[in-house]
């Protein structure tokens, strides 16, 4: 409700320069708990265009970042996303938005991996740079959020391609980069879902670590039981 009020106020004041920041908050952080995720996709693109026209490039690219990852999870064409993100990589670099430039490189590698294309997106960073060497560099500089993103990205790809061993290793590695609450953005919500699926997959093997993986699965269920109260459309299908 407060998000709608804020948008109405912005429109009534004709404060178009606030569009990128407001849309990022409302459609990227608030409405994901109340409305279907695809409902906010177009809004992020509108916010990007508004940011470009008003010079708010930081939040323009922040909206593209939200759009891109939601698009993956909502089933948009991966090839088209991969092609489009390359243009945003170049634009972010030109505009001096280093953080989003790097985030988009990670996303580009995600799309390549999902399509089974053996191409190194990190060559856009520097010659000879790979995902592994970039991860090592980030770990050395205590760039925890980027390290966590790369681990989550590798876990997502491994899970979808059936490489459960790598997915489990990434689950372990992620714990080296804690970030507090996991329910703030779509990426982390999807990560919890994958954790639950992995937990029960390994628990059913009845190995020495059965109790650990059972706990992982049950924790994921508990999270989704809380979240489904806000939006059955987004979370009920993942819970049941």
């Amino acid at each position: 409700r407060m998000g709608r009020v804020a948008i109405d106020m912005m429109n009534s004041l004709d404060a178009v320069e606030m569009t990128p920041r407001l849309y990022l908050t409302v459609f990227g952080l608030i409405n994901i708990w109340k409305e279907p995720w695809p409902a906010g996709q177009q809004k992020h693109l509108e916010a990007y265009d508004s940011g470009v026209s008003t010079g708010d490039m930081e939040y323009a690219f922040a909206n593209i970042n939200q759009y891109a990852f939601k698009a993956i999870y909502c089933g948009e064409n991966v090839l088209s996303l991969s092609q489009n993100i390359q243009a945003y990589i170049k634009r972010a670099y030109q505009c001096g938005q280093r953080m989003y430039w790097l985030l988009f490189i990670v996303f580009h590698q995600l799309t390549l991996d999902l399509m089974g294309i053996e191409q190194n997106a990190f060559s856009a960073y520097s010659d000879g740079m790979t995902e592994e060497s970039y991860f090592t560099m980030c770990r050395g500089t205590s760039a925890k959020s980027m390290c966590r993103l790369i681990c989550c990205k590798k876990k997502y790809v491994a899970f979808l391609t059936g490489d459960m061993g790598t997915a489990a290793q990434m689950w372990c590695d992620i714990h080296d980069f804690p970030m507090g609450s996991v329910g703030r953005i779509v990426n982390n919500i999807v990560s919890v879902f994958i954790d639950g699926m992995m937990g029960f997959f390994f628990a059913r093997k009845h190995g020495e670590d059965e109790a650990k993986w059972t706990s992982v699965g049950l924790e994921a269920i508990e999270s989704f039981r809380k979240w489904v109260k806000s939006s059955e459309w987004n979370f009920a299908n993942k819970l049941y």
Side-chain angles (χ1 to χ4, degrees):
R1 180 181 299 177
M2 295 306 297
R4 294 191 182 93
V5 170
I7 291 174
D8 289 342
M9 290 179 62
M10 180 189 72
N11 292 334
S12 65
L13 295 172
D14 198 26
V16 294
E17 70 279 0
M18 293 300 299
T19 300
R21 295 168 185 256
L22 186 56
Y23 278 16
L24 178 69
T25 302
V26 173
F27 298 104
L29 302 176
I30 298 175
N31 283 20
I32 59 173
W33 299 106
K34 294 294 183 181
E35 298 179 358
W37 291 350
Q41 289 297 83
Q42 186 59 36
K43 296 298 183 180
H44 288 306
L45 295 178
E46 292 175 10
Y48 171 77
D49 291 337
S50 176
V52 170
S53 65
T54 59
D56 191 353
M57 299 307 299
E58 178 184 0
Y59 278 82
F61 288 118
N63 276 278
I64 288 298
N65 187 57
Q66 285 286 326
Y67 170 82
F69 280 101
K70 281 184 185 177
I72 282 285
Y73 303 139
C74 293
E76 292 196 22
N77 184 276
V78 179
L79 177 59
S80 296
L81 285 171
S82 185
Q83 294 170 340
N84 292 338
I85 204 66
Q86 292 181 70
Y88 291 124
I89 289 172
K90 295 177 182 178
R91 188 69 185 275
Y93 181 82
Q94 293 168 347
C95 294
Q97 295 295 323
R98 178 181 173 83
M99 181 179 73
Y100 291 107
W101 173 56
L102 293 170
L103 288 173
F104 296 160
I105 289 175
V106 174
F107 179 82
H108 185 211
Q109 189 65 59
L110 169 62
T111 62
L112 294 172
D113 291 348
L114 289 175
M115 292 187 291
I117 298 176
E118 295 185 4
Q119 181 178 328
N120 178 25
F122 288 84
S123 60
Y125 183 91
S126 68
D127 291 337
M129 182 68 77
T130 65
E131 184 174 69
E132 292 303 322
S133 60
Y134 180 62
F135 177 80
T136 300
M137 184 180 73
C138 289
R139 172 170 258 170
T141 57
S142 298
K144 292 184 178 180
S145 61
M146 186 60 76
C147 288
R148 184 181 179 87
L149 175 65
I150 292 174
C151 287
C152 285
K153 169 259 174 191
K154 293 175 73 174
K155 181 178 72 173
Y156 182 73
V157 172
F159 177 77
L160 291 184
T161 56
D163 185 357
M164 300 302 286
T166 296
Q169 183 59 53
M170 290 303 103
W171 178 86
C172 294
D173 291 350
I174 286 170
H175 288 79
D176 292 336
F177 314 105
M179 63 167 293
S181 172
V182 299
R184 294 179 292 176
I185 57 177
V186 168
N187 282 8
N188 296 326
I189 295 171
V190 173
S191 185
V192 171
F193 173 72
I194 292 175
D195 289 348
M197 297 291 285
M198 281 199 310
F200 291 119
F201 172 84
F202 287 109
R204 289 192 180 103
K205 291 183 177 295
H206 304 297
E208 295 180 355
D209 54 1
E210 179 180 353
K212 179 188 78 172
W213 286 113
T214 299
S215 177
V216 171
L218 292 175
E219 287 177 6
I221 287 178
E222 184 59 28
S223 293
F224 276 90
R225 280 177 175 166
K226 294 177 182 177
W227 297 341
V228 77
K229 295 176 183 178
S230 297
S231 174
E232 289 190 1
W233 199 97
N234 285 332
F235 302 115
N237 62 330
K238 300 172 183 64
L239 181 59
Y240 304 113

